[in-house]
Amino acid sequence: NIAWTFLAGGSDGVVTNTEWANAFSVLQTADVQWVTPLSPNGAVQAMADAHVAFMSSVGKRERRAIVGTDLGTSVTAACDAAKALNSDRTSLVYQGFYDYDSAGNLTLYPPYVTAAVAAAAFCGSNPGTALTNKAFKFRGLESSPRNPVDTDVLILGGVMAFENTPQGYKCVKSISTWLVNTNYNRVEQSTGVALDFVVRNVRNALDVLREIGRASCR
């Protein structure tokens, strides 16, 4: 008997876009509501958006995505990234956050991890609950936009931002990257989630009636 040890000589390797595409294909078989790719790559984020759009229509399994950029993203670059997505089902985060790692070291995590935190907050909330003005247990933010000078620009640009307030680190507005119009069911993620919840329940109820109808026809 020997003590448990890590395997030696391995490496993380390089994940290609093809492997990301394969992962999203496999994810079509899972019934999930939120997706966050842990990548700042714009191509991967576009795949995530295409995935949730397809699954919310043809796939009949409504879902949404929150993506994040890399560390050091400016307000202008964040708005440009959101504009490139311009989706009513995908949100974009541009700020990293500080927290302690498993060794107790204060660590700056990239924005795509912040996106995962936001997605987790939605997962733990009732459908229709907005993250707007909700406090998060961060130990600090990579950058703190000024309210309203910077936050107004971010909101109009379709970026989900966080701010440092006396009451904690709060989500400014839980919006998607949708810029086509101001329809609330497309701009505000929580409203869209509530609609998804209704659609799922109505479809499930109708499926039962449809099966009863088929059985009676036999």
Side-chain angles (χ1 to χ4, degrees):
N1 295 327
I2 59 173
W4 185 90
T5 58
F6 286 104
L7 292 173
S11 65
D12 288 337
V14 177
V15 180
T16 66
N17 283 0
T18 299
E19 289 165 325
W20 275 106
N22 292 339
F24 283 120
S25 294
V26 173
L27 194 59
Q28 291 180 12
T29 63
D31 190 10
V32 301
Q33 283 77 57
W34 289 96
V35 177
T36 299
L38 295 181
S39 171
N41 188 320
V44 173
Q45 294 171 3
M47 287 184 205
D49 180 58
H51 170 80
V52 297
F54 173 81
M55 292 303 297
S56 299
S57 54
V58 179
K60 295 182 180 181
R61 286 183 173 181
E62 291 78 9
R63 57 191 60 173
R64 293 171 182 270
I66 304 180
V67 301
T69 60
D70 211 345
L71 290 170
T73 303
S74 66
V75 170
T76 301
C79 291
D80 288 342
K83 185 177 180 179
L85 288 168
N86 202 1
S87 169
D88 64 337
R89 290 193 168 272
T90 301
S91 297
L92 181 133
V93 175
Y94 85 107
Q95 298 156 280
F97 71 95
Y98 287 92
D99 204 348
Y100 295 106
D101 63 15
S102 58
N105 301 311
L106 189 63
T107 304
L108 175 60
Y109 292 93
Y112 50 85
V113 178
T114 312
V117 174
F122 268 124
C123 289
S125 304
N126 290 327
T129 301
L131 299 186
T132 302
N133 211 35
K134 295 290 193 300
F136 285 70
K137 287 192 174 181
F138 297 143
R139 306 296 174 175
L141 291 171
E142 178 191 9
S143 61
S144 296
R146 298 165 296 171
N147 192 336
V149 177
D150 297 320
T151 55
D152 282 0
V153 174
L154 290 162
I155 290 171
L156 291 174
V159 178
M160 185 187 292
F162 295 82
E163 63 176 327
N164 183 2
T165 76
Q167 294 78 36
Y169 299 101
K170 294 185 176 182
C171 177
V172 178
K173 195 172 182 180
S174 50
I175 56 175
S176 69
T177 55
W178 183 258
L179 301 174
V180 178
N181 54 44
T182 58
N183 293 351
Y184 222 63
N185 63 306
R186 294 190 179 276
V187 173
E188 172 54 49
Q189 283 280 31
S190 60
T191 305
V193 170
L195 289 174
D196 287 350
F197 182 78
V198 172
V199 169
R200 276 172 169 260
N201 280 278
V202 170
R203 183 172 57 247
N204 290 340
L206 291 177
D207 281 345
V208 173
L209 295 176
R210 185 171 58 185
E211 289 302 320
I212 292 175
R214 286 177 178 174
S216 62
C217 290
R218 298 192 192 101

